[in-house]
Amino acid sequence: MKKVLLSALIGITMATSCDKKQADHAEHLKTEQTETKDFVQEAKSDEHEAHTKLDLNNGKKWAVNDEMKPFVAETETQLNAYEPKNGDYKMLASNLSTSTDNLVKSCTMTGVPHDHLHAWLAPHMKEIERLKKAQNRQEANKSVDELKESMEKYHAYFN
């Protein structure tokens, strides 16, 4: 009888523990999604740009967390692979948007470094939105040129 009760108690404890872990994980994912959505909305607004001027960190580049770097490189690769004469700019816009979303999700930066990254990222994201809305190749290529300049700016201020 004791063994049955002990087994039942262990089973209930494990089930409760698993339910709690699943609930905690779901809450973590919900919080992460909310934070990402908030960051994207903030980046699309003009408010942040007005508060932080993009400049160097006492003459040095700002450090970016390693988790973000692959998405920066991915963005640059996509831009460099685009063919202005016949490239699919709608697909490029979609891919850049995905890469930027992943960049935002991977950001763990805080404080002043984060503010400076945001001062670069907000206009970059707006240009991706312009590319998404481009009505023709000429508009698209102008946005691609702006995005390439944005990447040069990124390399000038961040490492």
Side-chain angles (χ1 to χ4, degrees), residues 27-90:
E27 183 62 30
H28 173 73
L29 287 176
K30 184 178 176 183
T31 300
E32 186 176 277
Q33 290 171 343
T34 300
E35 288 172 354
T36 299
K37 184 179 176 184
D38 290 347
F39 185 93
V40 170
Q41 290 298 1
E42 184 182 336
K44 290 179 180 178
S45 76
D46 291 329
E47 181 181 324
H48 208 287
E49 289 177 71
H51 296 296
T52 303
K53 179 180 177 245
L54 186 58
D55 58 9
L56 292 171
N57 181 11
N58 295 318
K60 296 180 182 176
K61 293 180 182 181
W62 296 96
V64 173
N65 64 297
D66 289 337
E67 295 82 6
M68 295 174 68
K69 292 178 181 180
F71 302 113
V72 172
E74 186 176 278
T75 296
E76 205 157 30
T77 298
Q78 293 166 350
L79 286 167
N80 290 334
Y82 174 74
E83 293 290 332
K85 290 182 181 178
N86 60 3
D88 185 346
Y89 58 86
K90 295 289 186 187

Side-chain angles (χ1 to χ4, degrees), residues 8 21-22 24 28 40 47 61 65 89 99 113 117-118 131:
K21 285 181 182 176
Q22 287 177 337
D24 289 348
H28 173 73
V40 170
E47 181 181 324
K61 293 180 182 181
N65 64 297
Y89 58 86
S99 295
L117 178 71
H118 202 289
L131 179 59

Side-chain angles (χ1 to χ4, degrees), residues 101-138:
D101 288 347
N102 290 331
L103 175 76
V104 169
K105 288 176 189 174
S106 68
C107 182
T108 58
M109 296 172 66
T110 59
V112 176
H114 173 266
D115 292 344
H116 281 80
L117 178 71
H118 202 289
W120 165 76
L121 186 58
H124 185 84
M125 291 174 72
K126 285 181 183 179
E127 199 59 52
I128 292 171
E129 289 300 314
R130 280 191 202 101
L131 179 59
K132 282 182 177 179
K133 295 174 184 173
Q135 297 296 312
N136 56 53
R137 186 163 305 284
Q138 183 179 6

